[in-house]
Amino acid sequence: MSSRVLLKKLFQTPSEFIDKEVTIKGWVRSVRKSKKFSFIVLNDGTDQDSMQIIADAGIENYEALSSMLTGTSVSITGKIVESQGKGQSIEMQAITGEVIGEVDESYPLQKKGTSLEHLRDIAHLRARTNLFGAVFRVRHALAQATHQFFSDRGFYYLNSPIITAVDGEGAGEMFNVSTLNAKDLPKTDKGEIDYSKDYFGKDVSLCVTGQLEAECHALGLGAVYTFGPTFRSENSNTKRHLAEFWMIEPEVAFADLEDVADLAADYIKFMIDYAMKNCSKELAFLHSMPFTDVDKTHGDVLKSVRDSEFKKITYTEAIDILNACGEKFEFSTEWGNELQTEHEKYLTDKHFKSPVIVTDYPKDCKAFYMKLNEDGKTVRAMDVLVPGIGELIGGSQREESLEKLEKRMDEMNMEKDGYWWYLELRKFGSVPHSGFGLGFERAIMYITGMSNIRDVIAFPRTPGNCDF
Ligand code: 4AD
Ligand code: MG
């Protein structure tokens, strides 16, 4: 038997294979049987397109091949010929084939469309659909794009820890990690849980960010980026929140907010460009799906984002726009309030109709580590907002003064002890430095047009859901 060829390769360079005999292996999407021949559609997950296979009644193993059910795994050897039909450049004339794994009628992915909600319940199988094949090939491409982008610019990839003793955001939305017996917790004299008896001898959690460790390495290696899982126990049951998501966090020494705002814009543009070059079939398919938030013009929209300057405004300017626009909002737009989703949506979807970088938020809206502006009221923060999604990136220039950082932590009633090492960065050769975090799933949503974050991660974890 000839060796296996991937569909991606066959469709990429079809002329190499015309009149050649090859073997393909994959899962049957459909079989149409007639008296003299059968028509088999097979996909192997490597390409958006499936192979159309004509099996004449006389071939070896015809009975088995022509009666395969949707979902059967199979190996088929045949000759690649130019396609008679429209849309496809090549097809296969089967010579022989072999069923590898059978299915029965209960296989849930039949030809008829299944809802996205149902597909979430069978997430172990959904990678076999055209839709999720497309989403996860784009996800892969964007991960590759990320490493290429940062590596080409001299950033070093840092694997920051997943188990941590500090709350890097100071927001208290952490998952505790413990080996103590929850039914019989050791207690201190004060009646509190005695974490000294726990595995690490202290209260530890899953990371909500890798930023603090990234700062340590940026102040040694110059520029680093993390790309890892991130855990938040915020009880947000929305289409844009996961309890377990992936974040990319670049951190750059000797850089100010403007530097990383430009870096953020370049990174987003690079991802768009990379996806367009490497996943054009996937994007065309996804953008034409009826249930996405976008339509066929999304490719052009992305192209224009790739090719134009990102708009930049301050929080104060954003508030002015919101107050002057005449729109009725549910939440207050008085200076000092957080920008809510409805406000962000107005800015990106209606006012700018493009991504926008909002900077210099009131300090009370943001985390403890951000650099205080001279006005004493705002911090050198930025959020990158994009149409349809809202916040894609959050970042800032970091407070590099030990005195100011300690003062801010005191103001926020933070327990400083566990942060001794973070504070020492400010004591020993402190430098201005800045960075940001991009929510990987939100970037995938933005580029694919998928409207629910649960559909761009393999096995989503959300409040009340942790299957597979
Ligand atoms: O704005 P955030 O909280 O910023 C940080 O974590 C900083 N430490 C980043 C840094 O400066 N190094 O989160 C960054 C991004 C958000 O803009 C959003 O895209 C994503 O992470 N994100 C989530 N994505 C999915 N589900 C959640 N629950 C998310 N929370 C944040
Ligand atoms: Mg944020």
Side-chain angles (χ1 to χ4, degrees):
M1 203 181 258
S2 35
S3 66
R4 181 186 178 204
V5 182
L6 301 178
L7 292 194
K8 189 180 188 67
K9 178 94 180 122
L10 288 169
F11 290 128
Q12 243 164 20
T13 51
S15 55
E16 249 182 61
F17 295 96
I18 300 280
D19 291 330
K20 300 244 166 69
E21 194 180 309
V22 302
T23 296
I24 58 177
K25 296 183 183 186
W27 293 266
V28 171
R29 287 289 159 79
S30 65
V31 177
R32 231 172 48 227
K33 192 176 182 176
S34 65
K35 272 215 183 81
K36 294 196 173 137
F37 64 91
S38 290
F39 200 61
I40 303 164
V41 179
L42 177 141
N43 190 279
D44 70 358
T46 64
D47 200 275
Q48 197 59 40
D49 290 325
S50 296
M51 184 62 81
Q52 323 275 350
I53 303 158
I54 297 123
D56 286 323
I59 67 162
E60 199 180 286
N61 239 349
Y62 181 72
E63 241 348 277
L65 294 175
S66 61
S67 48
M68 290 187 297
L69 300 175
T70 296
T72 304
S73 53
V74 65
S75 167
I76 300 183
T77 300
K79 195 166 87 173
I80 298 297
V81 296
E82 262 174 84
S83 177
Q84 318 296 320
K86 273 202 211 114
Q88 219 96 57
S89 56
I90 49 172
E91 58 193 34
M92 177 183 261
Q93 212 95 54
I95 297 167
T96 183
E98 199 183 321
V99 170
I100 298 171
E102 291 183 343
V103 295
D104 61 27
E105 270 93 4
S106 67
Y107 180 64
L109 298 173
Q110 298 302 332
K111 204 126 213 277
K112 263 186 269 136
T114 329
S115 75
L116 290 177
E117 287 77 13
H118 179 54
L119 288 169
R120 267 170 234 150
D121 293 336
I122 50 167
H124 59 304
L125 297 173
R126 66 179 179 170
R128 298 189 198 179
T129 61
N130 286 336
L131 175 66
F132 286 95
V135 167
F136 289 107
R137 282 189 298 274
V138 173
R139 187 178 170 115
H140 166 82
L142 294 180
Q144 298 299 313
T146 295
H147 287 298
Q148 190 180 320
F149 176 81
F150 287 110
S151 184
D152 285 354
R153 285 171 180 241
F155 286 64
Y156 295 103
Y157 180 29
L158 166 69
N159 300 117
S160 52
I162 288 168
I163 300 175
T164 169
V166 297
D167 180 353
E169 292 297 318
E173 293 169 332
M174 305 185 85
F175 287 100
N176 199 230
V177 176
S178 173
T179 55
L180 294 175
N181 179 357
K183 291 186 190 119
D184 183 21
L185 290 170
K187 295 278 168 66
T188 62
D189 295 343
K190 286 193 204 149
E192 290 164 348
I193 298 171
D194 185 0
Y195 283 109
S196 72
K197 305 256 164 34
D198 205 347
Y199 188 92
F200 295 104
K202 58 169 90 168
D203 181 10
V204 302
S205 305
L206 296 178
C207 67
V208 290
T209 174
Q211 177 195 320
L212 274 50
E213 290 86 357
E215 286 186 48
C216 300
H217 273 230
L219 268 57
L221 292 156
V224 298
Y225 69 104
T226 71
F227 185 171
T230 311
F231 307 88
R232 294 197 183 170
S233 63
E234 56 189 328
N235 203 5
S236 309
N237 226 329
T238 77
K239 290 178 165 189
R240 307 176 308 127
H241 287 89
L242 290 165
E244 179 180 300
F245 63 100
W246 287 65
M247 186 155 57
I248 291 108
E249 295 186 277
E251 190 70 34
V252 195
F254 309 105
D256 63 17
L257 187 70
E258 279 68 33
D259 295 325
V260 291
D262 291 345
L263 181 73
D266 287 351
Y267 174 35
I268 293 171
K269 291 175 182 196
F270 186 86
M271 279 199 287
I272 291 174
D273 191 57
Y274 193 96
M276 285 184 155
K277 286 191 177 126
N278 290 278
C279 301
S280 56
K281 280 192 206 175
E282 282 79 4
L283 292 183
F285 173 81
L286 289 163
H287 298 163
S288 68
M289 287 286 108
F291 49 78
T292 53
D293 271 347
V294 300
D295 59 27
K296 281 184 184 158
T297 63
H298 194 54
D300 296 327
V301 172
L302 290 175
K303 234 179 256 164
S304 88
V305 170
R306 181 194 64 185
D307 298 336
S308 46
E309 285 267 315
F310 273 44
K311 309 255 171 5
K312 219 186 272 176
I313 56 169
T314 64
Y315 166 89
T316 303
E317 286 164 342
I319 288 293
D320 290 345
I321 292 170
L322 295 170
N323 283 326
C325 73
E327 195 99 353
K328 265 225 128 341
F329 295 112
E330 190 188 336
F331 293 94
S332 166
T333 51
E334 205 184 314
W335 198 98
N337 284 291
E338 307 243 4
L339 290 186
Q340 302 289 339
T341 305
E342 57 173 347
H343 308 139
E344 297 176 344
K345 245 181 135 43
Y346 179 82
L347 293 171
T348 52
D349 298 18
K350 291 210 180 138
H351 188 86
F352 289 106
K353 297 189 175 66
S354 74
V356 56
I357 304 180
V358 183
T359 63
D360 301 287
Y361 284 73
K363 64 177 178 187
D364 291 331
C365 297
K366 293 291 177 189
F368 67 94
Y369 49 68
M370 297 190 183
K371 185 179 172 68
L372 192 64
N373 277 316
E374 271 168 19
D375 63 13
K377 292 190 304 191
T378 59
V379 285
R380 297 252 67 197
M382 69 162 179
D383 276 7
V384 181
L385 312 176
V386 298
I389 309 289
E391 184 190 332
L392 173 62
I393 285 179
S396 64
Q397 185 161 341
R398 320 307 187 186
E399 184 54 77
E400 84 259 25
S401 145
L402 179 62
E403 193 194 324
K404 287 186 189 159
L405 182 57
E406 286 189 318
K407 183 160 167 268
R408 184 67 187 140
M409 291 174 85
D410 289 337
E411 269 171 26
M412 296 173 85
N413 290 318
M414 288 176 68
E415 191 59 67
K416 291 201 298 284
D417 292 358
Y419 297 87
W420 65 270
W421 50 276
Y422 184 69
L423 292 167
E424 277 196 354
L425 295 179
R426 278 75 184 164
K427 201 167 135 191
F428 304 134
S430 188
V431 299
H433 61 288
S434 305
F436 62 81
L438 171 132
F440 191 48
E441 285 75 22
R442 292 198 187 164
I444 303 167
M445 288 173 78
Y446 179 54
I447 290 173
T448 59
M450 294 297 287
S451 56
N452 194 314
I453 199 163
R454 293 164 181 79
D455 298 326
V456 297
I457 189 162
F459 300 101
R461 276 85 179 88
T462 53
N465 290 302
C466 188
D467 297 321
F468 308 101

